[in-house]
Amino acid sequence: MESSRNEGNKRCEFNNLDHRTDLNGADRLIVRRGQPFSISLYLRSGSYQPGVSTLDCVAETGPQPSEQYGTRASFGLSANIDTSRWSAAVLSPPGDMVALSICSAPDAPIGRYTLTLGQAGRIEFILLFNPWCSADVVYMDSEANLAEYVLAQDGIIFQGDYRYPVPIPWNFGQFESGILDICLKLLDMNPKCLRNPGKDCSGRRNPIYVSRVLSAMVNCNDDKGVLWGRWPENDEGYKGGVNPLLWKGSVEILRNWEKQACAPVRFGQCWVFAAVCCSVSRALGIPCRVITNYLSAHDTNNNLVIERRIDENGDLIRNYHCWVESWMTRPDLKPGFDGWQASDPTPQEKSENIYCCGPVPVRAIKDGELTFKYDAPFVFAEVNADVITFMKKKDGSTSEVMNTTAVGQKISTKRVGSDDREDITHLYKYPEGSNEERETFKKANHQNKLLHQQGDHGLHLTIKVSSDMRKGCDFDVFAVVTNNTQSEKKCRLVFGSCALSYNGFLGGSCGFKDLLNVELPPGAGGSVPLRLNYSKYGSQLTEHNLIRLAAVLFDYATNEATLATRNIVLENPQIIVRILGEPKENRKLAAEITLKNPLPEPLEACCFSIEGANLTGGNSISERLASTVGPGEDAKAKVYFTPTRSGLRKLVVNFDSDKLCNVKGYRNVIIGK
């Protein structure tokens, strides 16, 4: 057959809608593997005759197409489509226009393709993973889950503290203009592709391989990756880049990376690395979600024990850490470990000589299967390691301190179909103290967990807090001491507080108290207040609004010490968003945004900014306030935007000023046609 046109009619709008890629637009063909799509060929001479006319089809991807690598497939016309392999069939009756149905193999490499149709012409298209196809290894059988983990362009990432999780809105924006092309470029720029493009393109049939590449390429530690990590534990701060808390979505980050000729975007921290990785995974068709692990450990020597040394200020441990989970089967492992796989794109430790981590089955972490690929011991430690605290005394010696720090608390993700938090700790850990937990620790050789027993010194120490802890207010926190022994105790109580970043870095003091003579009768107890004044803590706070509380109780009789720590999150003021006008496609709207100044001092250089998938074109739109906002006064602005698609959309809002920074809010908006 010979076409009258150089390229067949690709029916992009119909095919993209059928393949659920229509949010990428209808200007080119984007399809998912293992699912038929249709094209039309207009014949230059003669007509198609069943059983007589033939058509040799060749599908190729990558710079070095090869049937050996699976990046080249040759096939002809069949009576019917075979969805288990590359195949083609005629849909139309005999005539000078031929409608063809084409189907890719469900394990074909993803990427850019050229399909040659004999002498009839050629077409170009993009092939993605297909979680709607039961033969694809990323298949997910729940439409609600697919809507959340593949199609949703916005979501919630949890920060704060395990006692007070703080939801932060994020614009994943995987279908915004140009993002899919950037995601494919990200694959092309990975070192494995640059060394051996044929083998790398072949590996793109496998989501395990692709997820591992993304884990490495989202950070820039040993490649031309997307993000430069910066944790301001020195004087450099964020000079020359963007404070990670100012990012509202992945779109600007990915676009900046491409505009900068693949130079890393400055700067990222764990939730930014995870969110960008989630955006790219969803764009390529891999179901993905962002995970927050509170009180996350970093085991550098693989012994599942985190050793901390303190004086009077408390121990160091990451307040939370974020990674991603991707959904896929694991044919490389024994049965029972399909489903969610954990990957961590934040550069922490090297795996196979590069900074990446995972994917490892979440079930393997729960069951203590630490020999499973990839990086199971590191992820297991993040949620299970023991924390042993040693106190350095004035004479230079150290002694172990009683400490009840529990690693891996309230492991969280956004609930399907709502903005609520879903606690998934049970997917990573068995109930504490259960027989299953003990068997897991035996299997993981977690000897410290099995054998280390803390003695009961009879003195109990906890920290309690006030219910109203808002930024700008003065409030009390309390060290609660109880003597459970039969004799009187004379003790020293040191109660301190300091600013804290999310990854455990301690800042300046926010308040301190040292009581040298605390007398506790048998069976008695009491609480000791510590006043935290804004005049003291306000200048010390990091952008995370975290304060570490630490109390140490010294028993003069036994020379033993008990430690209690607690992190608190100071609430930011609420951002109120009103939508002015009827929300419809391609109609200009205004967001009226209001925030009340909670501080006892004026705010200057105030700025509101908004961003939202299919609302702001993937851009951040800002409005600066001309005047100062006094204590208790409202900061108010109107920011205009034009929605481009109907449906439920999330408008992400950020407020920034000289003294009140990175306050986030959002408003869900239903856009009509």
Side-chain angles (χ1 to χ4, degrees):
M1 292 189 292
E2 188 174 354
S3 173
S4 62
R5 300 181 184 179
N6 187 42
E7 186 172 301
N9 182 342
K10 295 184 288 187
R11 307 183 67 193
C12 296
E13 185 173 358
F14 171 81
N15 285 315
N16 289 6
L17 183 64
D18 191 45
H19 284 245
R20 300 173 178 85
T21 62
D22 54 300
L23 290 173
N24 287 295
D27 58 330
R28 55 182 174 167
L29 184 59
I30 305 171
V31 295
R32 300 187 185 275
R33 61 186 194 174
Q35 181 177 341
F37 60 93
S38 59
I39 62 172
S40 299
L41 295 178
Y42 297 91
L43 304 183
R44 178 176 291 126
S45 59
S47 61
Y48 166 70
Q49 297 297 327
V52 177
S53 303
T54 61
L55 185 65
D56 296 322
C57 305
V58 179
E60 296 177 317
T61 185
Q64 302 169 358
S66 164
E67 292 189 4
Q68 175 188 355
Y69 280 145
T71 51
R72 184 180 191 273
S74 301
F75 53 100
L77 291 176
S78 306
N80 297 293
I81 283 291
D82 183 350
T83 57
S84 67
R85 60 179 180 86
W86 284 95
S87 59
V90 175
L91 299 175
S92 59
D96 59 1
M97 191 281 289
V98 179
L100 290 179
S101 179
I102 309 289
C103 189
S104 63
D107 61 350
I110 65 163
R112 301 181 188 277
Y113 273 82
T114 297
L115 177 62
T116 304
L117 302 163
Q119 300 299 315
R122 61 171 52 191
I123 66 169
E124 294 180 349
F125 63 94
I126 294 174
L127 187 67
L128 303 177
F129 289 109
N130 191 355
W132 285 269
C133 172
S134 60
D136 196 317
V137 291
V138 298
Y139 173 65
M140 182 176 263
D141 63 359
S142 165
E143 284 294 333
N145 287 353
L146 288 162
E148 183 71 53
Y149 300 132
V150 181
L151 298 180
Q153 297 185 76
D154 48 50
I156 297 291
I157 299 172
F158 290 93
Q159 297 180 356
D161 177 71
Y162 80 99
R163 290 188 177 93
Y164 186 71
V166 177
I168 301 298
W170 191 268
N171 174 27
F172 294 112
Q174 68 269 32
F175 301 122
E176 292 284 5
S177 176
I179 295 301
L180 178 56
D181 295 297
I182 296 172
C183 295
L184 295 174
K185 185 173 185 176
L186 185 65
L187 297 181
D188 291 340
M189 293 304 296
N190 95 81
K192 294 180 180 179
C193 183
L194 299 177
R195 285 195 301 267
N196 189 336
K199 185 176 181 181
D200 175 78
C201 288
S202 175
R204 297 179 193 181
R205 67 175 62 243
N206 186 351
I208 302 170
Y209 178 83
V210 172
S211 294
R212 194 155 174 79
V213 167
L214 296 184
S215 172
M217 284 298 295
V218 168
N219 71 73
C220 70
N221 282 43
D222 28 35
D223 46 44
K224 292 188 175 182
V226 176
L227 279 161
W228 184 316
R230 171 63 59 84
W231 290 264
E233 297 165 7
N234 49 45
D235 294 333
E236 294 183 14
Y238 301 116
K239 184 178 179 180
V242 175
N243 181 331
L245 279 172
L246 290 178
W247 299 117
K248 296 182 288 295
S250 306
V251 177
E252 185 178 0
I253 294 171
L254 291 167
R255 286 178 177 170
N256 286 350
W257 176 75
E258 185 192 36
K259 289 176 185 176
Q260 296 167 186
C262 304
V265 178
R266 307 182 187 198
F267 293 105
Q269 291 177 2
C270 70
W271 71 93
V272 186
F273 287 109
V276 170
C277 190
C278 184
S279 295
V280 178
S281 298
R282 290 183 183 183
L284 298 177
I286 302 174
C288 192
R289 62 186 185 181
V290 177
I291 306 300
T292 300
N293 176 41
Y294 289 100
L295 297 181
S296 187
H298 182 171
D299 184 13
T300 57
N301 57 8
N302 295 323
N303 68 350
L304 300 176
V305 176
I306 311 300
E307 295 183 356
R308 303 296 184 196
R309 283 160 176 78
I310 64 168
D311 45 23
E312 291 87 5
N313 291 325
D315 65 333
L316 279 169
I317 192 167
R318 288 185 295 188
N319 196 53
Y320 64 85
H321 182 59
C322 296
W323 58 74
V324 296
E325 290 177 358
S326 303
W327 182 271
M328 64 192 73
T329 62
R330 291 300 298 264
D332 58 323
L333 303 176
K334 66 182 183 182
F337 294 90
D338 298 337
W340 290 116
Q341 315 288 317
S343 297
D344 193 345
T346 300
Q348 299 176 92
E349 301 290 332
K350 285 192 172 184
S351 172
E352 297 181 341
N353 297 316
I354 59 174
Y355 280 98
C356 68
C357 179
V360 60
V362 171
R363 181 59 186 267
I365 303 305
K366 184 173 183 176
D367 288 348
E369 298 283 2
L370 302 195
T371 62
F372 282 18
K373 292 183 176 181
Y374 290 88
D375 309 305
F378 185 81
V379 180
F380 184 86
E382 288 187 301
V383 300
N384 284 300
D386 260 357
V387 177
I388 300 180
T389 306
F390 295 92
M391 176 169 290
K392 186 176 181 180
K393 299 180 180 179
K394 291 181 180 180
D395 61 3
S397 63
T398 60
S399 62
E400 188 174 341
V401 180
M402 283 194 63
N403 181 18
T404 57
T405 300
V407 167
Q409 297 291 304
K410 280 191 179 176
I411 304 175
S412 303
T413 192
K414 176 185 176 298
R415 187 177 297 278
V416 172
S418 81
D419 291 334
D420 296 337
R421 186 184 69 88
E422 180 180 2
D423 193 312
I424 58 169
T425 309
H426 65 284
L427 298 181
Y428 282 84
K429 306 168 74 169
Y430 287 104
E432 187 173 349
S434 66
N435 291 333
E436 292 90 346
E437 182 195 47
R438 187 170 182 82
E439 289 302 314
T440 295
F441 292 149
K442 283 182 180 178
K443 190 181 298 182
N445 197 29
H446 199 347
Q447 297 302 319
N448 192 70
K449 202 74 159 181
L450 293 168
L451 301 177
H452 183 75
Q453 299 292 329
Q454 295 177 331
D456 184 1
H457 298 261
L459 290 175
H460 188 253
L461 177 65
T462 59
I463 296 176
K464 295 190 178 298
V465 299
S466 308
S467 58
D468 189 18
M469 296 182 295
R470 291 177 289 109
K471 189 173 183 178
C473 294
D474 301 337
F475 57 91
D476 289 322
V477 293
F478 304 89
V480 180
V481 184
T482 306
N483 177 11
N484 294 319
T485 70
Q486 300 300 313
S487 59
E488 183 180 33
K489 289 287 185 179
K490 293 185 177 181
C491 305
R492 175 189 177 190
L493 176 67
V494 178
F495 193 9
S497 63
C498 59
L500 177 71
S501 66
Y502 87 96
N503 62 323
F505 180 72
L506 300 179
S509 174
C510 298
F512 184 79
K513 180 175 286 187
D514 189 352
L515 302 179
L516 297 176
N517 296 295
V518 177
E519 297 184 356
L520 297 170
S527 64
V528 176
L530 176 64
R531 187 72 170 173
L532 298 185
N533 297 303
Y534 175 75
S535 60
K536 179 72 179 289
Y537 73 73
S539 61
Q540 302 296 332
L541 277 183
T542 70
E543 59 267 29
H544 301 278
N545 281 359
L546 289 165
I547 294 178
R548 161 68 55 84
L549 307 175
V552 184
L553 188 66
F554 300 89
D555 186 340
Y556 286 126
T558 63
N559 203 31
E560 292 173 335
T562 301
L563 170 70
T565 61
R566 180 164 182 171
N567 300 334
I568 59 175
V569 186
L570 303 189
E571 287 187 59
N572 272 324
Q574 183 182 7
I575 292 179
I576 299 173
V577 183
R578 290 178 58 227
I579 303 300
L580 307 180
E582 185 179 3
K584 285 195 172 183
E585 283 183 7
N586 302 312
R587 176 179 293 182
K588 191 173 184 179
L589 295 175
E592 182 184 75
I593 312 172
T594 307
L595 175 144
K596 184 181 291 295
N597 178 10
L599 306 185
E601 53 187 335
L603 301 178
E604 298 180 353
C606 300
C607 179
F608 286 105
S609 58
I610 64 171
E611 184 177 324
N614 303 130
L615 295 176
T616 62
N619 301 312
S620 181
I621 303 174
S622 299
E623 183 70 28
R624 295 188 177 276
L625 277 64
S627 59
T628 297
V629 180
E633 294 180 355
D634 285 342
K636 183 175 289 188
K638 288 183 181 178
V639 187
Y640 294 89
F641 63 101
T642 304
T644 56
R645 283 186 178 271
S646 62
L648 180 62
R649 307 293 175 209
K650 192 181 299 296
L651 186 69
V652 181
V653 182
N654 191 79
F655 175 82
D656 210 13
S657 70
D658 61 332
K659 299 182 183 69
L660 187 63
C661 304
N662 308 319
V663 182
K664 284 185 167 54
Y666 67 93
R667 170 73 182 265
N668 291 327
V669 186
I670 299 177
I671 307 298
K673 288 187 175 294

